[in-house]
Amino acid sequence: MTEIFRAGIQSISHGQREAAESIGMTRWQFRRRIILPQAVGVIIPDIGNQFSAMQKDSAQVSAMGIWEMTYRANRFARQDSKFLEMFIAAALFYWILTIVSSWWRAFLNDAWHMLMNDHEIIHVENLHKWFGLLHVLKGISFSVAAREVLVLIGRSVSGKSTLLSCLNFLEMPSAGTVTIAGQSVTTGPGLRLDTQKMISMRLSTGMVFQEFNLFPHMTALENIIEGLLTVKKWPKDKAIPIGMKYLEKVGLQDKRDVHPIRLSGGQKQRVAIARALAMETKVMLFDEPTSALDPELIGEVLDVMKQLALEGTTMIVVTHEMGFACDVADRIIYIDRGKIVEEDSPEQIFNHPKDERPRAFLEPIRKIQQM
Ligand SMILES: Nc1ncnc2c1ncn2[C@@H]1O[C@H](COP(=O)(O)OP(=O)(O)OP(=O)(O)O)[C@@H](O)[C@H]1O
Ligand SMILES: [Mg+2]
């Protein structure tokens, strides 16, 4: 136990102390605001693991360790001669105790992350994705704060769509940790996937695709409320007002009974955005939402997205619309061959890129803007 506490405290780098001092924090403030939150975050999972190990190996923790329990079961069984029943009851009790303690541990872990990272909606740590032998994402790590608009840019086949797909588990990450709104899923060789958690995390993100992917046999309104009816199991009379609210938000209330085939590309994409919004997720993911549109229809979709950004929607957007990125992004990440090469404000990335690759990628766009 002592070792766990010591490791937790020592996990805070010396540089952080210097940074705290450099902004004038006192030693007490540094301990309370910097060391404590981080150290507890490191300590809680370890203490949980330690507790589970102790519970399995010893009777000291709760007087209900396995040896103690079989001893008691044996004693009661001798009194009543009900050996089988007593041992089944003991095994059942031990099994329930183990499950409850592991749930409790997971709950504490998630609650802690939610408490400490209330400003951080998404955290991605060392994410890898292989398609067979093709290593597409090579250790991606980043965070997104609540109400932040993050734009991902990069050359074709650099892995941008794959990254978005991994964030809502349309593609399963091969390794790494994805945390969304305090819930984490870690994947990797030999790790068992928590499918329930993955499904509940998927409900935290709404995705808008390049090709709209509307259900062609349903009207605009039916498309929007489909998730509410079938996934959230809402009754129709509760879902319809929500559907209409989002149809109005994208300016298409008069198209409620129209099928996708009768909508323009821009209108289709706006319905697709309303469909994702209606699920009232924590984060919206956009994968090149305008690149399948005719140039004259791009503006209406970008306007909806700008409005969402103004209203404080947390968004991750893959786009080649650099004007939009410049206007709306709080931060831009440049990805090259599955790695984050540069991450900065739009102003810095566009005007003073540090790396050669974003510089070369953005140069033609800068030239057009200067013309
Ligand atoms: N389901 C899949 N199975 C096998 N390979 C895939 C799959 N999805 C993507 N890839 C491969 O992963 C690599 C990255 O593709 P991805 O679509 O993520 O790139 P991108 O950066 O979004 O490109 P673009 O800008 O052209 O959309 C490509 O080589 C692609 O062929
Ligand atoms: Mg793509």
Side-chain angles (χ1 to χ4, degrees), residues 163-171 180 202 205-207 285:
L163 176 56
L164 286 193
S165 300
C166 286
L167 292 185
N168 71 351
F169 303 101
L170 288 176
E171 289 291 352
I180 303 178
R202 184 175 282 162
T205 56
M207 181 111 167
L285 309 174

Side-chain angles (χ1 to χ4, degrees), residues 212 260 262-270 293 297 300:
F212 331 126
R262 306 246 169 269
L263 297 172
S264 73
Q267 289 170 336
K268 281 184 197 153
Q269 193 58 300
R270 282 149 67 195
L293 298 177
L297 301 177
E300 64 187 77

Side-chain angles (χ1 to χ4, degrees), residues 131 134 136 155-162 171 288 320:
F131 289 111
L134 185 64
V136 177
R155 290 191 189 283
S156 193
V157 302
S158 54
K160 305 178 298 293
S161 298
T162 307
E171 289 291 352
E288 297 198 40
H320 291 294

Side-chain angles (χ1 to χ4, degrees), residues 247-281:
L247 209 44
E248 277 167 35
K249 188 178 253 315
V250 297
L252 290 174
Q253 56 276 30
D254 55 328
K255 302 290 183 194
R256 60 170 279 168
D257 298 321
V258 176
H259 282 81
I261 197 160
R262 306 246 169 269
L263 297 172
S264 73
Q267 289 170 336
K268 281 184 197 153
Q269 193 58 300
R270 282 149 67 195
V271 172
I273 292 174
R275 179 176 61 180
L277 287 173
M279 297 301 281
E280 304 199 323
T281 57

Side-chain angles (χ1 to χ4, degrees), residues 69-92:
M69 218 155 43
T70 44
Y71 169 72
R72 299 255 165 220
N74 205 358
R75 262 188 60 190
F76 289 130
R78 274 170 203 271
Q79 283 166 13
D80 299 346
S81 303
K82 289 184 176 166
F83 282 90
L84 189 62
E85 289 89 333
M86 280 300 161
F87 279 100
I88 288 176
L92 207 62

Side-chain angles (χ1 to χ4, degrees), residues 130-359:
W130 281 269
F131 289 111
L133 292 177
L134 185 64
H135 195 182
V136 177
L137 300 178
K138 300 169 182 163
I140 298 266
S141 302
F142 65 93
S143 302
V144 183
R147 306 170 75 83
E148 189 179 16
V149 178
L150 175 71
V151 169
L152 303 178
I153 60 172
R155 290 191 189 283
S156 193
V157 302
S158 54
K160 305 178 298 293
S161 298
T162 307
L163 176 56
L164 286 193
S165 300
C166 286
L167 292 185
N168 71 351
F169 303 101
L170 288 176
E171 289 291 352
M172 197 52 61
S174 308
T177 301
V178 176
T179 307
I180 303 178
Q183 286 192 301
S184 292
V185 163
T186 300
T187 46
L191 288 179
R192 204 168 56 88
L193 184 69
D194 189 338
T195 325
Q196 261 332 94
K197 198 180 244 186
M198 189 200 77
I199 291 168
S200 102
M201 281 172 70
R202 184 175 282 162
L203 290 178
S204 307
T205 56
M207 181 111 167
V208 176
F209 304 89
Q210 187 175 342
E211 298 291 343
F212 331 126
N213 298 343
L214 291 180
F215 310 126
H217 60 301
M218 293 181 185
T219 64
L221 181 62
E222 284 168 348
N223 263 280
I224 294 170
I225 63 174
E226 183 56 20
L228 300 177
L229 299 179
T230 53
V231 181
K232 293 198 173 176
K233 312 268 184 233
W234 284 13
K236 231 176 175 173
D237 54 351
K238 186 176 170 195
I240 287 175
I242 298 293
M244 283 309 295
K245 173 177 140 189
Y246 287 104
L247 209 44
E248 277 167 35
K249 188 178 253 315
V250 297
L252 290 174
Q253 56 276 30
D254 55 328
K255 302 290 183 194
R256 60 170 279 168
D257 298 321
V258 176
H259 282 81
I261 197 160
R262 306 246 169 269
L263 297 172
S264 73
Q267 289 170 336
K268 281 184 197 153
Q269 193 58 300
R270 282 149 67 195
V271 172
I273 292 174
R275 179 176 61 180
L277 287 173
M279 297 301 281
E280 304 199 323
T281 57
K282 308 264 187 225
V283 185
M284 288 285 289
L285 309 174
F286 293 86
D287 190 5
E288 297 198 40
T290 56
S291 52
L293 298 177
D294 292 336
E296 71 274 16
L297 301 177
I298 291 175
E300 64 187 77
V301 173
L302 292 182
D303 285 346
V304 169
M305 292 171 66
K306 279 181 193 166
Q307 187 56 33
L308 292 177
L310 279 176
E311 289 168 7
T313 312
T314 310
M315 294 158 60
I316 304 183
V317 186
V318 173
T319 185
H320 291 294
E321 294 294 329
M322 293 304 153
F324 168 81
C326 227
D327 283 353
V328 174
D330 295 302
R331 199 156 40 103
I332 295 187
I333 284 181
Y334 184 88
I335 298 185
D336 186 61
R337 296 180 197 187
K339 287 188 176 167
I340 293 181
V341 167
E342 198 159 334
E343 178 177 350
D344 220 323
S345 66
E347 206 278 320
Q348 281 296 322
I349 290 258
F350 281 108
N351 299 324
H352 315 285
K354 294 182 198 81
D355 192 277
E356 184 50 42
R357 287 162 285 184
R359 190 175 305 141

